[in-house]
Amino acid sequence: MNFDNQHVVVAGGAGFVGGHLVRSLLALGARVTVLDNFHTGPCDKFASVSSSELQVIEHDICDKIDLSFDLVMNLACPASPEHYQADPLQTWRSSVVGTMNLVELAASQDARMVHCSTSEVYGDPLVHPQPETYLGNVSCTGPRACYDEGKRAAETFLLDMFRERHVDVRIARLFNTYGPEMALNDGRVVSNFVVQALQGKALTVFGDGNQTRSFCYVADTVDGLLQLAYGRGLQGQVMNLGNPDERSVLEIARIISDLTGQPLETVQMAAAVDDPRRRCPDITRATERLGWAPRTSLRDGLSLTIDEFRSRITRG
Ligand code: UDP
């Protein structure tokens, strides 16, 4: 796989997954332009990248922009419930208006678009594990709806653009992704537990802790996104990208306390509203069509994550 002579725009490239993706694209020969409004953090991501092939532009995709490119990859939307619920109107606008702007731009120049959607399109699933054909069980009025329904509306628009205007769009539904360089204040369970354990604090378990998620190491997620962007004959495809290794929140707490060498101490907090009880991807489609499957075990991925968090926390 190489992206030589390709100009790739990464919207949301200064975010957690975006940062990893941008570095991989550069390593694979792409010229990369990052578009980011720096909503979830300042742009010190690329301080160590000395490449004339990288350009970073402060820009909110809700506003139109004129750019030419071969491929646009859209990761521009906060993905942590704490962050996307802090400004639900902006979350909706980024998901819907921002995606519409990018796909219109791709359509105007016959470029390809890879869009990051989410497992949240399945809501609190009644089918388990979740294949792409499952239609979901989503609240359209609750506090998660700005994200869940925003991402669902974006998928609708993108697939209409594929059917009506033949734009080469490809949609990845990302399940929970974790790894080095998540913001320390990201608010999601892995980063919260790692920071709390390294600071010797009790781990905050929301609800009874028996709810499950399936955690995919970021390098595996990025590999899946690149395969989806690169492969032939994938226009109009929707694909789950996640690790089917399903764990409860309490199991995650136990593993993180073990790997950090901290005695397990938890404090129970109120359950999040509309929190999905179970979530696990069926990745048959990605395996069959991309030859993709995650390779990093949860313990290995968490060890790498903890090491990187530890060095950041020690540096202050
Ligand atoms: N959670 C938790 N403690 C935390 C943060 C999250 O118990 O400090 C729970 C949360 O309620 C959910 C699960 O962990 O059940 C995953 O939450 P996260 O915010 O990581 O991602 P989500 O899959 O909900 O978007």
Side-chain angles (χ1 to χ4, degrees), residues 149-204:
E149 295 289 7
K151 291 286 190 178
R152 286 170 68 94
E155 287 197 12
T156 305
F157 191 79
L158 289 168
L159 291 176
D160 282 337
M161 287 292 279
F162 164 65
R163 286 185 290 255
E164 294 296 308
R165 301 206 9 218
H166 312 292
V167 188
D168 181 349
V169 296
R170 302 155 184 221
I171 297 173
R173 291 180 177 160
L174 303 191
F175 284 62
N176 298 61
T177 302
Y178 72 97
E181 298 179 22
M182 291 180 91
L184 299 179
N185 68 350
D186 177 87
R188 276 176 287 190
V189 67
V190 168
S191 47
N192 275 4
F193 284 2
V194 170
V195 170
Q196 289 158 351
L198 291 174
Q199 294 178 337
K201 295 181 181 157
L203 310 190
T204 50

Side-chain angles (χ1 to χ4, degrees), residues 35 80 90 134 136 138 177-178 214 259 281 290 295 302 309 313:
L35 297 182
S80 159
Q90 176 62 15
Y134 176 49
V138 182
T177 302
Y178 72 97
S214 304
L259 292 174
L290 304 180
R295 287 192 290 233
L302 284 175
F309 270 59
I313 288 172

Side-chain angles (χ1 to χ4, degrees), residues 87-296:
D87 192 349
L89 303 179
Q90 176 62 15
T91 298
W92 175 267
R93 273 194 295 270
S94 311
S95 298
V96 182
V97 179
T99 301
M100 289 170 73
N101 283 339
L102 293 180
V103 73
E104 295 278 6
L105 197 55
S108 71
Q109 53 195 297
D110 220 5
R112 182 175 295 176
M113 176 157 173
V114 170
H115 175 75
C116 285
S117 186
T118 170
S119 56
E120 292 279 336
V121 299
Y122 302 120
D124 189 7
L126 305 176
V127 166
H128 200 78
Q130 295 85 55
E132 293 84 350
T133 48
Y134 176 49
L135 300 183
N137 176 39
V138 182
S139 160
C140 64
T141 53
R144 297 179 88 96
C146 56
Y147 186 70
D148 303 8
E149 295 289 7
K151 291 286 190 178
R152 286 170 68 94
E155 287 197 12
T156 305
F157 191 79
L158 289 168
L159 291 176
D160 282 337
M161 287 292 279
F162 164 65
R163 286 185 290 255
E164 294 296 308
R165 301 206 9 218
H166 312 292
V167 188
D168 181 349
V169 296
R170 302 155 184 221
I171 297 173
R173 291 180 177 160
L174 303 191
F175 284 62
N176 298 61
T177 302
Y178 72 97
E181 298 179 22
M182 291 180 91
L184 299 179
N185 68 350
D186 177 87
R188 276 176 287 190
V189 67
V190 168
S191 47
N192 275 4
F193 284 2
V194 170
V195 170
Q196 289 158 351
L198 291 174
Q199 294 178 337
K201 295 181 181 157
L203 310 190
T204 50
V205 173
F206 299 169
D208 62 14
N210 293 319
Q211 70 272 33
T212 68
R213 295 292 189 272
S214 304
F215 295 93
C216 192
Y217 187 62
V218 64
D220 290 328
T221 304
V222 165
D223 183 44
L225 286 173
L226 292 169
Q227 304 273 4
L228 183 62
Y230 187 73
R232 285 172 190 278
L234 296 169
Q235 47 272 50
Q237 289 285 327
V238 178
M239 225 165 278
N240 287 340
L241 292 180
N243 191 326
D245 181 8
E246 182 185 2
R247 307 289 183 128
S248 71
V249 165
L250 284 175
E251 273 180 277
I252 297 296
R254 274 193 288 275
I255 296 169
I256 289 175
S257 73
D258 181 36
L259 292 174
T260 51
Q262 293 294 320
L264 178 61
E265 201 192 326
T266 57
V267 53
Q268 190 166 348
M269 320 275 282
V273 178
D274 287 344
D275 194 39
R277 287 300 298 170
R278 298 187 72 183
R279 189 186 283 157
C280 180
D282 178 331
I283 58 166
T284 310
R285 190 178 284 182
T287 304
E288 285 177 1
R289 299 192 189 167
L290 304 180
W292 176 86
R295 287 192 290 233
T296 313

